[in-house]
Every structure is written in C-alpha cells, then in structure tokens.
Amino acid sequence: MDRATFACSTAFFHDYSSSAQGTFSTGHVDFIDKIESFTYSDFFRDYLIPNQPCVFSEKFTDGWGSRRNWVTWGGKPDFDHLLQEFGEAIVPVANCDVKEYNSNPKEQLPFKEYISYWKEYIKNGYRSSRGCLYLKDWHLSRTPFHADVFRSYSWSANICGRKKWLLYPPGQEDYLKDCHGNLPFDVTAPGLQDRSVYPRYNQSQPPVEIVQEAGEIVFIPSGWHHQVYNL
C-alpha cells in the first residue's frame, strides 16, 4: 500500500477501540463506476479498513470469459455452452423449499440433470414437483489444504440475472435473535414481530438493500449478516 493509505489505516486502528461498532447510519452503499480511476489503495482505504460494503459496476467484469461465453445475447444462461463444458460434472444442489436445521438440505446431481430440471422449471412457470432447486457452492476448481480466515470478507459477481441483498452491519444481528439466541431463517418473516419470541427485533435498524445487476460485483465486509434473493 502507498504511504497515504498506510497512514489512513494506522489512524483508523489507533482510534478503533474508542469508536462505535455496528453502526451504519446512512443506509447508502457506494457504487464504483470508473474502473480506470479506482485503485486498490482506494478500496483498501475507503471500504476494506472501515469495513463498509460497496458495489462495483459491470465495467469491472467486462473482460471475464464467463460473461462472454456463459450468457446468450439476450442475457440468459447459455444452457448449450454450459452443458458442453460442464455437463458431466457433479454439483451440489439445495432445495430452497425445505428447511433443515435453519438451512436447506443438499443433494449431489450431475450438472446435465440439473440443467434439464432448470429448463423444465422455467417451462412450467417456475414451478416443479421437486421444489425450487438451487445450484449452490459449486467449486469449479478444488483447492488444496487450507484454513479460511475467521469472519472473512465476501465478493459476489453476477454473470447474468439480478439479485436483491438485505444487509445488516455487525452487531445488528443481536437484535434479530430469538429468546433462545437463534438467528431467524428469514429476516422478512412476519413472525419476527412477535416480541415473545424475538424480544429485541423492534430495536434493529432496517436492512441496507442492494439490487445487484448483471456484471456487477458486491463486496460484503466481515461480520455483515445478509439475506439474498435471486430475482
């Protein structure tokens, strides 16, 4: 990092112990549009160190092969190309219609079977007797032995389609816990209004909302709880 960024980060951590944590007063998330004038030092100083989310424009992913090859001219997934490249792969698929220990159960399916399901799901008006299946956490390349950083940062890029994010700054999740200390499965559920079950919910601030368009990248800082919808 350059000297100015180092000075900024040093001052930030010097004052960190006396600063308020878990606050994000404006609800505004910066949109980074100009790739040519935005540097890593800018990101480090303005978002990584203060632990604030931001959104990068589609210009940052224009050169990605996946954006050229995985998507049709109409902005939809290119099923033929994906089948040709990955058809025989085994992928993890979650059933979003089933709740299991505050999560969704997963099964392993051949990617070509998932594509068949996906096409049929669209054809039937986004309905299926198998439920809403979501291909999730598929690692195209296996990684060697390693340890993830505790409370790590998250990057999410949209190759196509749109997502809606609901974000809560660190510390806000404490207000969303039920009387047993458990976080809710869905932060929009009407049941959170029941103060006998969620006694501190009314003290929580509204979530920060982001709609992520095709090609855009969302940076989620450490400790920010979030809920995401594939629109």
Side-chain angles (χ1 to χ4, degrees):
M1 71 180 75
D2 57 32
R3 291 183 178 180
T5 306
F6 178 76
C8 175
S9 60
T10 301
F12 179 88
F13 284 112
H14 177 75
D15 297 334
Y16 182 74
S17 59
S18 60
S19 65
Q21 301 182 40
T23 58
F24 188 71
S25 58
T26 67
H28 170 75
V29 175
D30 287 349
F31 184 78
I32 314 302
D33 184 44
K34 297 182 178 180
I35 187 171
E36 66 278 359
S37 60
F38 187 80
T39 67
Y40 178 74
S41 292
D42 294 330
F43 167 72
F44 190 93
R45 179 190 65 242
D46 297 336
Y47 305 102
L48 187 64
I49 288 296
N51 210 48
Q52 299 297 329
C54 61
V55 179
F56 294 87
S57 77
E58 74 283 353
K59 296 174 185 176
F60 287 81
T61 62
D62 274 345
W64 291 16
S66 54
R67 287 202 62 204
R68 294 192 303 270
N69 302 324
W70 294 7
V71 185
T72 68
W73 285 107
K76 303 292 185 181
D78 190 332
F79 291 133
D80 292 337
H81 177 83
L82 293 171
L83 277 173
Q84 181 180 348
E85 292 294 319
F86 310 112
E88 299 303 320
I90 303 299
V91 297
V93 176
N95 190 331
C96 296
D97 291 342
V98 179
K99 179 181 175 181
E100 185 178 86
Y101 298 109
N102 221 28
S103 186
N104 304 116
K106 282 185 179 179
E107 60 178 319
Q108 301 290 321
L109 293 178
F111 183 65
K112 58 186 178 184
E113 181 180 334
Y114 182 75
I115 290 291
S116 295
Y117 155 83
W118 196 352
K119 290 179 177 178
E120 190 69 21
Y121 186 76
I122 295 171
K123 182 180 178 181
N124 290 336
Y126 301 95
R127 293 187 300 272
S128 172
S129 60
R130 300 178 66 179
C132 179
L133 304 184
Y134 179 33
L135 198 167
K136 184 177 185 291
D137 298 331
W138 174 21
H139 298 278
L140 290 173
S141 177
R142 293 293 180 183
T143 56
F145 178 70
H146 69 286
D148 289 328
V149 177
F150 180 60
R151 295 177 67 83
S152 60
Y153 302 86
S154 172
W155 297 83
S156 177
N158 266 2
I159 303 305
C160 62
R162 306 168 75 231
K163 282 186 171 71
K164 182 173 77 171
W165 296 74
L166 302 179
L167 311 177
Y168 286 90
Q172 283 294 310
E173 73 277 4
D174 290 336
Y175 300 115
L176 304 177
K177 293 178 180 178
D178 65 17
C179 54
H180 302 292
N182 301 311
L183 288 170
F185 183 78
D186 179 0
V187 296
T188 66
L192 270 71
Q193 301 289 342
D194 187 344
R195 298 189 66 176
S196 66
V197 180
Y198 294 94
R200 303 180 68 193
Y201 174 72
N202 289 339
Q203 300 175 47
S204 68
Q205 68 182 50
V208 179
E209 183 172 322
I210 298 172
V211 175
Q212 179 188 15
E213 303 291 344
E216 294 179 353
I217 304 172
V218 171
F219 169 64
I220 306 297
S222 174
W224 282 67
H225 284 66
H226 49 277
Q227 185 164 308
V228 188
Y229 299 87
N230 289 301
L231 301 178

